[in-house]
Amino acid sequence: MLLCGFVADGGVSKQHAIAVMIIGAFLSSIVSAELLTPSLPPEEYAKTSSRVEHVELGFTVLFTLELLINFFANFFFRFFGSAWNIFDLLIVIMCW
């Protein structure tokens, strides 16, 4: 229950952790855009593409876990009462 209270309060630590995850996902996207160029040999492209997909999946799992914790901490009406939570939910659904 301590974790649910921590998430429901929206503490500064939680906000910093989420901000770091968002920045990490953004930087990952930049690096993958730079690495996946058409000039790569096919085998190198496949290997790099596979690594990028694994990193993206990792971020998607982290954001999904954060969303689930937030949902259970705020439960149904309080969760859907926040436009930011609905926005987060739509983004996570689109990532899957």
Side-chain angles (χ1 to χ4, degrees):
M1 283 307 187
L2 179 63
L3 180 62
C4 289
F6 170 72
V7 173
D9 291 341
V12 174
S13 299
K14 178 200 174 225
Q15 291 174 359
H16 288 162
I18 300 303
V20 167
M21 286 183 359
I22 291 170
I23 291 168
F26 178 70
L27 292 174
S28 170
S29 294
I30 292 172
V31 170
S32 67
E34 290 295 321
L35 290 178
L36 295 175
T37 60
S39 63
L40 282 176
E43 61 277 347
E44 187 68 30
Y45 185 89
K47 187 167 62 170
T48 303
S49 178
S50 175
R51 289 179 182 159
V52 167
E53 287 176 11
H54 283 93
V55 170
E56 289 177 357
L57 178 63
F59 278 112
T60 302
V61 167
L62 285 174
F63 286 123
T64 302
L65 289 173
E66 184 270 332
L67 188 69
L68 287 171
I69 292 169
N70 190 5
F71 178 78
F72 287 114
N74 292 304
F75 210 56
F76 192 81
F77 294 111
R78 196 166 154 201
F79 179 84
F80 285 107
S82 169
W84 284 113
N85 288 339
I86 295 170
F87 177 72
D88 285 345
L89 179 64
L90 292 173
I91 296 297
V92 168
I93 288 171
M94 284 189 287
C95 287
W96 283 105

